[in-house]
Amino acid sequence: MKDELQKQLFDKYPDLFKEKDLPPSQSNMCFGFECDGGWYNLIDTLCSLIQNEQTYRLNQKDSNYSPVRVNQVKEKFGGLRFYYTGGNDIIAGLVAFAEAMSMQICEICGDKGETDWKKPWVKTLCEKHKKAT
């Protein structure tokens, strides 16, 4: 992901990405977002929903709730992988939904995409970007 998009997410959700400055031995967020910018809106929406749920739980003083800390965001086998600690079943559902949605979104441009399993490196791409690779 381009640095400017990555910075926007880090700046917008500082509580979620507190681990971005930790060394690789403690968190993979030091490598940034290991995917293309086409998933920016998907990741932004996911983070917004996580932040809203987290704010609600913390305001309710939910003693069973542990704050979400994102450890890694990357592409794997054509889909988004969003690794984190903390949260609850609602957060887990949001992440699972976003990961499933990524399989329908071009990782490069954000248009409707399809996972191409025929190439050596599996990617989810729109028709335009499929032809370009």
Side-chain angles (χ1 to χ4, degrees):
M1 183 177 291
K2 291 183 181 176
D3 289 344
E4 67 218 33
L5 295 177
Q6 180 171 277
K7 183 177 179 343
Q8 287 175 19
L9 291 169
F10 284 155
D11 290 348
K12 195 170 180 180
Y13 307 104
D15 289 341
L16 299 181
F17 296 108
K18 285 186 175 183
E19 295 190 357
K20 70 179 177 54
D21 297 320
L22 292 177
S25 61
Q26 296 177 359
S27 174
N28 286 320
M29 272 320 299
C30 63
F31 300 116
F33 293 84
E34 300 172 90
C35 61
D36 288 316
W39 289 343
Y40 173 84
N41 288 330
L42 179 64
I43 295 167
D44 182 40
T45 301
L46 173 60
C47 290
S48 176
L49 293 169
I50 290 172
Q51 183 171 275
N52 289 341
E53 171 65 11
Q54 183 154 289
T55 299
Y56 174 76
R57 294 294 167 191
L58 295 175
N59 285 340
Q60 295 296 313
K61 298 185 180 9
D62 184 344
S63 60
N64 295 320
Y65 186 84
S66 173
V68 172
R69 298 293 178 255
V70 181
N71 310 112
Q72 186 176 30
V73 179
K74 68 178 188 174
E75 176 276 331
K76 184 174 182 179
F77 298 119
L80 176 69
R81 298 298 184 267
F82 194 92
Y83 299 111
Y84 65 97
T85 57
N88 57 17
D89 289 344
I90 293 170
I91 302 293
L94 293 170
V95 170
F97 184 74
E99 290 179 343
M101 287 296 300
S102 71
M103 303 296 282
Q104 305 295 315
I105 299 170
C106 177
E107 185 184 349
I108 295 172
C109 70
D111 285 346
K112 181 174 175 19
E114 186 176 277
T115 306
D116 186 354
W117 296 92
K118 296 178 183 128
K119 300 206 174 177
W121 191 262
V122 179
K123 295 284 268 186
T124 300
L125 301 171
C126 64
E127 287 302 317
K128 175 184 156 190
H129 288 107
K130 237 187 248 186
K131 291 175 185 170
T133 58

